Amino acid sequence: MAMSCKDGKQQQRDLDNGKYVRYTPEQVEALERLYHDCPKPSSIRRQQLIRECPILSHIEPKQIKVWFQNRRCREKQRKEASRLQSVNRKLSAMNKLLMEENDRLQKQVSQLVYENGFFRQHAPNTKLTTKDTSCESAVTSGQRNLTVQHPPRDASPAGLLSIAEETLAEFLSKATGTAVEWVQMPGMKPGPDSIGIVAISHGCTGVAARACGLVGLEPTRVAEILKDRPSWFRDCRAVDVLNVLPTANGGTIELLYMQLYAPTTLAPARDFWLLRYTSVLEDGSLVICERSLKNTQNGPAMPPVQHFVRAELLPSGYLIRPCEGGGSIIHIVDHMDLEPWSVPEVLRPLYESSTMLAQKTTMAALRQLRQISHEVSQSNVTGCGRRPAALRALSQRLSRGFNEALNGFTDEGWSMIASDGVDDVAVLVNSSPDKLMGLNLSFASGFPVVSNAVLCAKASMLLQNVPPVVLLRFLREHRSEWADNNMDAYSAAAFKVGPCSLSGSRVGNYGGQVILPLAHTIEHEEFLEVIKLEGVAHSPEDAIMPREMFLLQLCTGMDENAVGTSAELIFAPIDVSFADDAPLLPSGFRIIPLDSGKEASNPNRTLDLASALDIGPTGNKASNDYSGNSGCMRSVMTIAFEFAFESHMQEHVASMARQYVRSIISSVQRVALALSPSHLSSQAGLRTPLGTPEAQTLARWICNSYRCYLGVELLKSNNEGNESLIKSLWHHSDAILCCTLKASPVFTFANQAGLDMLETTLVALQDITLEKIFDDHSRKILCSEFPQIIQQGFACLQGGICLSSMGRPISYERVVAWKVLNEEENAHCICFMFMNWSFV
């Protein structure tokens, strides 16, 4: 235990009989050198230091020990003082920011009070003509929007400067004034540890969001990051600077063309023709403001682009002020008209939601700045031996590749192929060299795998009453319930897959898949990880294919408290080297909420699909987690899967991809129904499977056969009611599992304890074989006892170790196995009861 400086000095005085020892500058210099090499030397090391350094030879070892103790104490105090100074600077800046926000709110209140008084004063005059005026307004306002034409703006250099100055004034009135009525974004609580003060517009044209916060970066660095929009705004496809004009005040005017990806297959992409003005204010603040250029003359113009809808960016931008003691105070305003008329009515909430704009754009900018600031202050290399910038680049490539596949732009080489008669799944093909670069690798055996085309199968579906975070978490943690191992193996055929070299990192078991965490952004609940899929199914003739494969996976939007944010699960096979520039062919899911209201459900509830699918409210401990939910949550899920293939196999691969995506849609619909609050709270006419005659019959066969072979009752209750029988079996304390009588037995039923032991659900249970859960020793015992079970009808196995579906070891005291007979006395299955089991 480290002692304080005072204690250390006292000990030093005691050692010198009350006399304080003063070290010479040379001795202090030598000790400092030694301290930097080894801050906490052992007793042997201290004696060695005295021998190696003659200048210290006259100092007692105990005095050396005290010096190092004091030196560590001073270092600790210095770090603590530095931390407190940093916190104090941050709090002072936050206090200044809050005072400014309070002044702005007071101005807004004064303006509202004035407007309220004005309306009250003129209320008697308007009351007589309210009906006619409103009717006229409803009709003529729409006509004005359609017919009013502003004269063209001058786009010459002088005209552009005038537009730029006007944009600057309008932006500042939104950022620090009352031009827009701002209301606090739901779920956001400002404070020193929060991302910032975030607000959304109320009652203005289009959608708008505003944020202000503190970042530990200098203003010029902040401006550099924010101007590089594709690096932090993942919906941004490209920003092209077409012209740059310097201004007399030292600023610059840039003409930009920007493209945004469409978030789903049901809507077209957006593009913008923009003016960006960068200047420095008199107080030293740096300003970057932007707006759309429309209806201009005498200057550059951008004609409409095919497959894009031209949207409008109203005066927006960034106000960056230097903060005392370092860092910056930043104000962000995003104000857009995304032309919601161009999308189906069900999707219009996505384009009319200021909350969605705040999450995807405004807060994304703050997150990027805070993340880079955090990386600057921390170690430059993560635990997996990679720089944070390299991990961010991998995340960006995954997201960008998924967006490219989802949008299928013709200038990227994508072309649609003919439908099979059902338009639920769209299939596109890309044969461009850029898309295929890096995919044609060789396996370790030397056999090349040549792919000269890439196919993408994509679809969108509407989900009702299921929280996106809950559904995406289930898809992430229970891959076996929707993925096909054969398709995973096929996807890996374009890559050299093998044991992944990831030294310096700890690999843990996760959901039956081995996970290597690479990066975790806490503020946004974003995960970048490597998944190892073992035992990938493949045919014997594909001996050159690996028995295991690796996926690089990105999971975003997992913050259950965030409002209006989309959730994504994107993954791609990776090769053995896992280089930073490794070829990626992303696939995955995106779930976007259509309702901006806050989800009333609890995403942290138990994700027990078996209880939802097969039990209903009875016996489901999580069924009440949604009891407080009212209303209907809607979201749109978009699915896109990419496959590399040889061009002569296009028809076969297209058919296979369509079938695979349709099977995933079916699985997702089943899972979404099981996870929906309405399904858990009231079955709404759906009969619970445990109440079906089949389930009751199986329970009766299990109990009768146990009594027949072992001579005792399996269940304590003697109630003969079928419903009571199945419930008693389901809640039995021991794990009871049934498996088929095939050469490779597969589980077909388990009670709640059995599902808990195997860490699975009734749906995924059928993917688990009896042989898979036992270790080698227990497997040998089972093989020797299996004939006895078939002939004698039962057997008792000694305690041992088995494995859950997630690879966790389980100890059990004893296993009783018996043959289950049907009504005709024929063997139906084999039942196992694991007694007194526990995780090791």
Side-chain angles (χ1 to χ4, degrees):
M1 181 175 178
M3 68 171 60
S4 66
C5 293
K6 183 177 180 180
D7 294 339
K9 291 178 181 178
Q10 183 63 43
Q11 183 177 350
Q12 183 172 331
R13 292 191 185 98
D14 293 341
L15 289 170
D16 291 302
N17 298 320
K19 196 175 178 183
Y20 186 82
V21 176
R22 294 185 180 275
Y23 297 94
T24 65
E26 293 79 9
Q27 289 174 329
V28 172
E29 183 180 354
L31 288 171
E32 287 287 347
R33 286 197 306 268
L34 298 174
Y35 176 82
H36 289 295
D37 293 338
C38 182
K40 196 172 183 180
S42 63
S43 175
I44 297 176
R45 177 61 177 150
R46 289 195 299 269
Q47 293 177 2
Q48 182 182 358
L49 293 176
I50 294 175
R51 290 194 301 269
E52 293 176 352
C53 191
I55 200 172
L56 302 176
S57 59
H58 299 294
I59 302 177
E60 294 291 331
K62 290 184 178 181
Q63 294 176 342
I64 296 289
K65 177 181 178 181
V66 171
W67 187 94
F68 274 93
Q69 288 174 339
N70 292 338
R71 182 63 178 84
R72 290 195 300 271
C73 177
R74 291 195 301 271
E75 181 70 16
K76 183 178 179 180
Q77 290 177 337
R78 185 190 64 80
K79 291 181 179 179
E80 180 65 13
S82 176
R83 186 189 69 83
L84 291 175
Q85 289 174 358
S86 176
V87 171
N88 183 61
R89 288 194 301 268
K90 187 175 181 180
L91 290 174
S92 299
M94 178 61 72
N95 181 60
K96 181 180 179 181
L97 194 62
L98 291 173
M99 291 177 63
E100 293 176 354
E101 182 69 6
N102 184 57
D103 292 341
R104 188 193 65 79
L105 290 173
Q106 287 181 351
K107 292 179 183 177
Q108 184 172 329
V109 169
S110 299
Q111 181 177 340
L112 291 174
V113 169
Y114 171 78
E115 292 176 355
N116 183 53
F118 178 83
F119 289 135
R120 284 178 178 273
Q121 183 180 356
H122 293 78
N125 298 329
T126 58
K127 206 177 272 188
L128 298 174
T129 58
T130 299
K131 183 176 180 180
D132 293 338
T133 303
S134 63
C135 293
E136 181 182 357
S137 173
V139 177
T140 59
S141 63
Q143 293 177 346
R144 283 198 300 270
N145 290 338
L146 293 174
T147 59
V148 171
Q149 293 290 337
H150 296 285
R153 299 289 300 267
D154 181 19
S156 65
L160 291 176
L161 179 59
S162 175
I163 296 174
E165 294 292 346
E166 179 184 314
T167 303
L168 174 61
E170 291 187 38
F171 160 66
L172 291 177
S173 68
K174 296 176 183 178
T176 60
T178 59
V180 172
E181 182 181 349
W182 301 109
V183 296
Q184 183 173 315
M185 183 173 167
M188 295 299 300
K189 295 182 179 180
D193 296 325
S194 69
I195 191 172
I197 303 172
V198 184
I200 56 177
S201 62
H202 175 70
C204 73
T205 302
V207 292
R210 172 183 175 273
C212 48
L214 309 174
V215 293
L217 300 170
E218 295 304 314
T220 53
R221 176 59 175 149
V222 172
E224 178 186 345
I225 294 170
L226 294 175
K227 282 188 173 184
D228 186 15
R229 190 179 264 112
S231 69
W232 55 266
F233 184 24
R234 290 181 178 173
D235 283 356
C236 183
R237 185 191 184 205
V239 176
D240 297 326
V241 180
L242 303 183
N243 201 357
V244 179
L245 301 173
T247 62
N249 61 1
T252 57
I253 295 175
E254 300 167 282
L255 300 183
L256 313 175
Y257 175 64
M258 180 172 70
Q259 292 180 341
L260 301 185
Y261 293 110
T264 173
T265 61
L266 304 176
R270 266 47 182 172
D271 67 351
F272 299 81
W273 173 231
L274 303 174
L275 176 145
R276 181 164 69 193
Y277 181 38
T278 306
S279 63
V280 179
L281 302 181
E282 293 181 356
D283 63 356
S285 300
L286 185 59
V287 180
I288 306 168
C289 55
E290 300 172 327
R291 80 176 306 156
S292 285
L293 285 176
K294 53 187 296 188
N295 194 23
T296 59
Q297 63 181 10
N298 303 327
M302 176 60 65
V305 179
Q306 188 179 13
H307 306 305
F308 286 87
V309 171
R310 182 63 50 84
E312 181 180 3
L313 179 69
L314 289 84
S316 307
Y318 316 101
L319 171 61
I320 312 165
R321 296 183 296 174
C323 184
E324 184 178 353
S328 304
I329 299 176
I330 180 172
H331 294 256
I332 303 175
V333 172
D334 290 300
H335 193 177
M336 298 181 181
D337 183 355
L338 296 171
E339 306 293 343
W341 58 266
S342 62
V343 301
E345 186 173 355
V346 69
L347 293 182
R348 289 183 186 175
L350 300 182
Y351 297 84
E352 296 173 340
S353 170
S354 294
T355 301
M356 184 70 69
L357 177 68
Q359 284 284 1
K360 295 176 65 176
T361 309
T362 314
M363 294 175 65
L366 275 180
R367 290 190 194 102
Q368 180 79 349
L369 294 171
R370 288 169 62 91
Q371 185 70 21
I372 294 177
S373 175
H374 176 74
E375 292 168 2
V376 169
S377 63
Q378 300 296 323
S379 172
N380 204 27
V381 179
T382 64
C384 62
R386 295 177 184 267
R387 297 182 183 275
L391 296 178
R392 285 203 314 273
L394 282 172
S395 300
Q396 182 71 13
R397 289 179 57 207
L398 277 174
S399 181
R400 184 178 184 85
F402 181 76
N403 278 322
E404 288 289 350
L406 194 64
N407 285 259
F409 295 118
T410 55
D411 60 359
E412 291 284 340
W414 291 101
S415 61
M416 187 83 69
I417 66 176
S419 170
D420 62 349
V422 183
D423 295 330
D424 57 337
V425 179
V427 178
L428 295 86
V429 173
N430 193 331
S431 302
S432 65
D434 292 340
K435 185 69 177 175
L436 299 168
M437 187 172 296
L439 293 183
N440 297 320
L441 304 175
S442 299
F443 288 118
S445 60
F447 292 92
V449 177
V450 179
S451 301
N452 52 20
V454 174
L455 181 143
C456 175
K458 58 184 183 179
S460 293
M461 57 187 294
L462 183 67
L463 300 174
Q464 296 278 358
N465 216 21
V466 57
V469 174
V470 172
L471 178 56
L472 195 81
R473 183 180 292 132
F474 187 90
L475 296 176
R476 175 176 177 243
E477 297 178 359
H478 300 269
R479 182 181 179 88
S480 62
E481 299 209 7
W482 58 266
D484 186 333
N485 284 343
N486 291 291
M487 297 300 293
D488 285 335
Y490 181 86
S491 298
F495 297 88
K496 181 180 177 181
V497 183
C500 201
S501 176
L502 296 163
S503 60
S505 298
R506 181 175 59 87
V507 178
N509 199 314
Y510 192 94
Q513 304 155 3
V514 178
I515 298 295
L516 174 68
L518 298 179
H520 175 206
T521 305
I522 298 177
E523 285 180 345
H524 195 43
E525 286 299 316
E526 177 176 303
F527 303 86
L528 181 66
E529 53 202 12
V530 172
I531 298 179
K532 177 183 176 184
L533 303 180
E534 299 184 80
V536 176
H538 59 278
S539 57
E541 56 267 26
D542 293 330
I544 62 171
M545 293 186 63
R547 297 197 64 86
E548 58 185 23
M549 64 174 290
F550 295 88
L551 296 179
L552 179 64
Q553 180 167 279
L554 175 68
C555 188
T556 66
M558 297 300 291
D559 183 4
E560 61 268 16
N561 297 317
V563 181
T565 184
S566 60
E568 296 180 340
L569 183 67
I570 305 172
F571 43 85
I574 55 176
D575 69 351
V576 62
S577 64
F578 185 36
D580 292 340
D581 58 348
L584 299 177
L585 208 60
S587 303
F589 307 88
R590 174 180 291 152
I591 313 174
I592 309 174
L594 296 175
D595 304 307
S596 58
K598 185 167 183 176
E599 299 170 356
S601 61
N602 177 17
N604 289 322
R605 69 183 184 83
T606 303
L607 289 177
D608 189 355
L609 181 62
S611 299
L613 285 175
D614 300 280
I615 305 171
T618 59
N620 184 6
K621 60 185 176 181
S623 62
N624 293 327
D625 289 344
Y626 284 111
S627 58
N629 182 46
S630 59
C632 179
M633 293 171 290
R634 298 181 306 159
S635 57
V636 59
M637 169 181 272
T638 299
I639 304 170
F641 278 75
E642 291 189 271
F643 306 93
F645 68 100
E646 300 178 47
S647 57
H648 68 274
M649 297 180 62
Q650 176 173 310
E651 185 175 347
H652 170 71
V653 175
S655 175
M656 175 189 66
R658 283 194 183 98
Q659 182 179 356
Y660 184 43
V661 171
R662 284 169 182 159
S663 70
I664 291 175
I665 291 174
S666 177
S667 299
V668 168
Q669 288 174 334
R670 186 183 72 254
V671 171
L673 176 63
L675 296 176
S676 65
S678 59
H679 182 86
L680 294 175
S681 59
S682 62
Q683 293 301 306
L686 296 177
R687 182 173 55 177
T688 59
L690 281 187
T692 61
E694 292 82 2
Q696 296 168 1
T697 300
L698 178 60
R700 189 173 67 254
W701 289 350
I702 292 173
C703 296
N704 290 343
S705 300
Y706 185 88
R707 182 174 60 250
C708 175
Y709 288 116
L710 284 89
V712 295
E713 294 290 343
L714 175 62
L715 305 176
K716 294 180 180 180
S717 175
N718 294 322
N719 194 326
E720 295 297 331
N722 288 333
E723 187 174 350
S724 176
L725 192 69
I726 185 64
K727 286 184 178 180
S728 299
L729 182 67
W730 178 260
H731 294 294
H732 198 284
S733 59
D734 292 325
I736 300 176
L737 303 99
C738 295
C739 67
T740 59
L741 285 167
K742 298 180 180 178
S744 180
V746 177
F747 289 110
T748 58
F749 172 81
N751 67 349
Q752 182 63 67
L755 295 177
D756 292 343
M757 186 185 77
L758 293 183
E759 296 185 292
T760 187
T761 65
L762 283 177
V763 176
L765 185 67
Q766 298 180 10
D767 297 330
I768 303 175
T769 62
L770 179 64
E771 181 183 19
K772 184 178 180 180
I773 72 168
F774 287 107
D775 62 5
D776 292 338
H777 176 70
S778 299
R779 195 178 298 120
K780 292 178 181 178
I781 295 177
L782 177 64
C783 291
S784 63
E785 297 289 343
F786 205 81
Q788 179 184 347
I789 300 174
I790 299 299
Q791 297 175 4
Q792 183 177 323
F794 74 98
C796 293
L797 309 180
Q798 296 298 321
I801 299 293
C802 65
L803 301 175
S804 74
S805 63
M806 301 174 75
R808 295 174 65 186
I810 303 163
S811 66
Y812 54 90
E813 183 179 301
R814 189 173 54 147
V815 173
V816 178
W818 69 97
K819 187 165 53 175
V820 176
L821 305 178
N822 59 19
E823 303 289 357
E824 289 77 24
E825 299 293 327
N826 295 323
H828 175 74
C829 62
I830 294 180
C831 199
F832 293 86
M833 182 166 63
F834 291 77
M835 307 177 70
N836 297 328
W837 64 272
S838 63
F839 290 108
V840 177

